[in-house]
Amino acid sequence: MRKLFYIIALLMLPILAMAQKTGTEIGDKLPNIKGDNPDGESIELIELRGKVVLVDFWASWCPPCRAENPNLVKAYKEYKDGEFSKGKGFEIFSVSIDDRKSNWIKAIEKDMLEWPYQMFTGKGWDSPVVDELDIQSIPTNFLIDENGVIIAKNLRGNGLELTLKAISQR
Protein backbone atom coordinates (compact mmCIF):
# COMPACT_ATOMS: atom_id res chain seq x y z
CA MET A 1 0.00 0.00 0.00
CA ARG A 2 2.82 2.38 0.89
CA LYS A 3 4.57 1.61 -2.39
CA LEU A 4 1.39 2.44 -4.31
CA PHE A 5 1.18 5.80 -2.51
CA TYR A 6 4.75 6.70 -3.57
CA ILE A 7 4.11 5.67 -7.16
CA ILE A 8 0.98 7.84 -7.31
CA ALA A 9 2.87 10.74 -5.69
CA LEU A 10 5.67 10.47 -8.27
CA LEU A 11 3.16 10.40 -11.11
CA MET A 12 1.47 13.54 -9.75
CA LEU A 13 4.68 15.63 -9.57
CA PRO A 14 4.64 16.75 -13.23
CA ILE A 15 0.98 17.73 -12.94
CA LEU A 16 1.65 19.75 -9.79
CA ALA A 17 4.68 21.40 -11.39
CA MET A 18 2.57 22.51 -14.36
CA ALA A 19 -0.10 23.93 -12.05
CA GLN A 20 2.54 26.12 -10.36
CA LYS A 21 4.13 27.38 -13.59
CA THR A 22 4.69 31.13 -13.74
CA GLY A 23 5.24 33.02 -16.95
CA THR A 24 3.56 35.19 -19.54
CA GLU A 25 1.63 32.74 -21.70
CA ILE A 26 -2.08 32.03 -21.46
CA GLY A 27 -2.52 29.46 -18.69
CA ASP A 28 0.59 30.61 -16.80
CA LYS A 29 0.39 32.26 -13.41
CA LEU A 30 1.63 35.84 -13.66
CA PRO A 31 4.25 36.56 -10.97
CA ASN A 32 3.55 39.15 -8.31
CA ILE A 33 4.42 42.71 -9.33
CA LYS A 34 5.12 45.43 -6.80
CA GLY A 35 6.09 49.05 -6.90
CA ASP A 36 5.04 52.54 -5.86
CA ASN A 37 1.83 54.41 -6.62
CA PRO A 38 1.71 58.18 -7.34
CA ASP A 39 1.83 58.90 -3.58
CA GLY A 40 4.96 56.78 -3.14
CA GLU A 41 3.08 54.01 -1.33
CA SER A 42 3.86 50.38 -2.12
CA ILE A 43 1.26 48.40 -4.09
CA GLU A 44 1.27 44.75 -5.15
CA LEU A 45 -0.62 42.78 -7.76
CA ILE A 46 -1.27 40.01 -5.22
CA GLU A 47 -3.55 42.45 -3.31
CA LEU A 48 -6.08 41.99 -6.11
CA ARG A 49 -6.47 38.19 -5.85
CA GLY A 50 -10.10 37.23 -6.21
CA LYS A 51 -10.71 39.77 -9.00
CA VAL A 52 -10.26 39.72 -12.74
CA VAL A 53 -7.32 42.07 -13.36
CA LEU A 54 -5.85 43.68 -16.45
CA VAL A 55 -2.11 44.20 -15.94
CA ASP A 56 -1.25 46.96 -18.39
CA PHE A 57 2.28 48.10 -19.31
CA TRP A 58 2.34 51.60 -20.80
CA ALA A 59 4.12 54.98 -20.77
CA SER A 60 3.06 58.61 -21.07
CA TRP A 61 5.30 59.10 -24.15
CA CYS A 62 3.76 56.13 -26.05
CA PRO A 63 1.06 57.23 -28.57
CA PRO A 64 -0.43 53.72 -29.00
CA CYS A 65 -0.65 53.40 -25.19
CA ARG A 66 -2.41 56.72 -24.86
CA ALA A 67 -4.77 55.78 -27.70
CA GLU A 68 -5.76 52.62 -25.75
CA ASN A 69 -6.45 54.47 -22.50
CA PRO A 70 -10.03 55.49 -23.44
CA ASN A 71 -10.82 51.79 -24.01
CA LEU A 72 -9.44 50.94 -20.57
CA VAL A 73 -11.39 53.76 -18.93
CA LYS A 74 -14.61 52.61 -20.58
CA ALA A 75 -14.10 48.95 -19.59
CA TYR A 76 -13.17 49.90 -16.03
CA LYS A 77 -16.30 52.02 -15.55
CA GLU A 78 -18.49 49.29 -17.04
CA TYR A 79 -17.05 46.24 -15.27
CA LYS A 80 -15.28 47.29 -12.04
CA ASP A 81 -18.15 45.97 -9.92
CA GLY A 82 -19.01 43.05 -12.20
CA GLU A 83 -19.44 39.38 -11.39
CA PHE A 84 -17.38 37.03 -13.51
CA SER A 85 -16.94 33.30 -13.91
CA LYS A 86 -13.23 33.97 -13.20
CA GLY A 87 -13.50 36.35 -10.22
CA LYS A 88 -15.53 39.01 -8.45
CA GLY A 89 -14.97 42.53 -9.73
CA PHE A 90 -12.58 43.94 -12.30
CA GLU A 91 -9.47 46.00 -11.64
CA ILE A 92 -6.66 47.46 -13.69
CA PHE A 93 -3.06 47.34 -12.47
CA SER A 94 -1.14 49.82 -14.62
CA VAL A 95 2.64 49.60 -14.79
CA SER A 96 4.34 52.68 -16.19
CA ILE A 97 7.77 52.40 -17.74
CA ASP A 98 8.17 56.17 -17.73
CA ASP A 99 11.48 57.68 -16.64
CA ARG A 100 9.90 60.88 -15.30
CA LYS A 101 7.31 60.67 -12.56
CA SER A 102 5.87 64.11 -13.40
CA ASN A 103 5.07 63.05 -16.99
CA TRP A 104 3.43 59.86 -15.72
CA ILE A 105 1.23 61.69 -13.22
CA LYS A 106 0.18 64.28 -15.85
CA ALA A 107 -0.82 61.45 -18.23
CA ILE A 108 -2.89 59.73 -15.52
CA GLU A 109 -4.76 62.98 -14.90
CA LYS A 110 -5.17 63.94 -18.56
CA ASP A 111 -6.40 60.47 -19.60
CA MET A 112 -8.63 60.23 -16.49
CA LEU A 113 -7.21 56.89 -15.35
CA GLU A 114 -9.24 56.63 -12.16
CA TRP A 115 -8.28 53.16 -10.93
CA PRO A 116 -6.14 53.14 -7.79
CA TYR A 117 -3.53 50.61 -8.90
CA GLN A 118 -1.05 52.80 -10.80
CA MET A 119 2.57 51.70 -10.48
CA PHE A 120 5.72 53.64 -11.35
CA THR A 121 9.03 51.82 -11.65
CA GLY A 122 11.12 54.93 -12.27
CA LYS A 123 13.57 52.92 -14.33
CA GLY A 124 11.94 52.88 -17.75
CA TRP A 125 13.00 49.91 -19.87
CA ASP A 126 15.63 49.03 -17.24
CA SER A 127 12.98 48.08 -14.71
CA PRO A 128 13.34 44.58 -13.21
CA VAL A 129 9.66 43.83 -13.87
CA VAL A 130 10.14 44.62 -17.58
CA ASP A 131 13.03 42.15 -17.68
CA GLU A 132 11.27 39.50 -15.59
CA LEU A 133 8.18 39.49 -17.81
CA ASP A 134 10.21 40.02 -21.00
CA ILE A 135 8.17 43.06 -22.06
CA GLN A 136 9.43 43.90 -25.55
CA SER A 137 6.97 46.62 -26.55
CA ILE A 138 4.15 48.69 -25.17
CA PRO A 139 1.27 48.68 -24.80
CA THR A 140 1.37 45.13 -23.49
CA ASN A 141 -1.28 43.69 -21.22
CA PHE A 142 -2.32 40.49 -19.48
CA LEU A 143 -5.83 39.67 -18.28
CA ILE A 144 -5.65 37.41 -15.24
CA ASP A 145 -8.30 35.53 -13.30
CA GLU A 146 -8.92 35.49 -9.55
CA ASN A 147 -5.90 33.22 -9.02
CA GLY A 148 -3.47 35.25 -11.13
CA VAL A 149 -3.65 32.90 -14.14
CA ILE A 150 -3.42 34.58 -17.54
CA ILE A 151 -6.68 34.14 -19.48
CA ALA A 152 -5.97 36.60 -22.32
CA LYS A 153 -3.24 38.97 -23.43
CA ASN A 154 -2.64 42.02 -25.58
CA LEU A 155 -6.28 43.01 -25.77
CA ARG A 156 -6.70 46.11 -27.96
CA GLY A 157 -9.59 48.26 -29.08
CA ASN A 158 -12.83 46.69 -27.90
CA GLY A 159 -11.05 43.36 -27.26
CA LEU A 160 -10.95 43.94 -23.50
CA GLU A 161 -14.62 44.82 -23.31
CA LEU A 162 -15.61 41.82 -25.45
CA THR A 163 -13.53 39.47 -23.30
CA LEU A 164 -14.97 40.86 -20.06
CA LYS A 165 -18.47 40.56 -21.49
CA ALA A 166 -17.80 36.91 -22.42
CA ILE A 167 -16.79 35.98 -18.85
CA SER A 168 -19.35 38.25 -17.17
CA GLN A 169 -22.20 36.64 -15.26
CA ARG A 170 -24.76 39.30 -16.19
Side-chain angles (χ1 to χ4, degrees), residues 15-41:
I15 294 168
L16 292 173
M18 285 187 342
Q20 299 299 318
K21 184 180 177 210
T22 60
T24 59
E25 297 303 320
I26 293 174
D28 291 346
K29 191 171 189 175
L30 198 66
N32 189 34
I33 298 169
K34 51 183 154 180
D36 291 339
N37 70 13
D39 297 325
E41 299 166 347

Side-chain angles (χ1 to χ4, degrees), residues 39-53:
D39 297 325
E41 299 166 347
S42 181
I43 58 171
E44 292 187 53
L45 180 59
I46 202 164
E47 296 170 14
L48 299 173
R49 284 289 152 75
K51 294 185 177 198
V52 172
V53 180

Side-chain angles (χ1 to χ4, degrees), residues 81-133:
D81 298 318
E83 294 281 334
F84 301 93
S85 60
K86 304 279 185 184
K88 183 176 176 161
F90 169 66
E91 192 60 69
I92 298 176
F93 192 98
S94 292
V95 181
S96 169
I97 61 165
D98 277 285
D99 295 276
R100 293 192 176 141
K101 188 173 182 179
S102 61
N103 292 346
W104 169 60
I105 290 173
K106 286 177 190 170
I108 290 170
E109 292 169 0
K110 184 173 184 181
D111 293 358
M112 296 182 280
L113 309 181
E114 63 185 62
W115 47 91
Y117 289 89
Q118 302 278 350
M119 183 184 129
F120 181 68
T121 65
K123 297 183 179 182
W125 287 106
D126 294 326
S127 167
V129 70
V130 169
D131 288 338
E132 181 183 2
L133 298 180

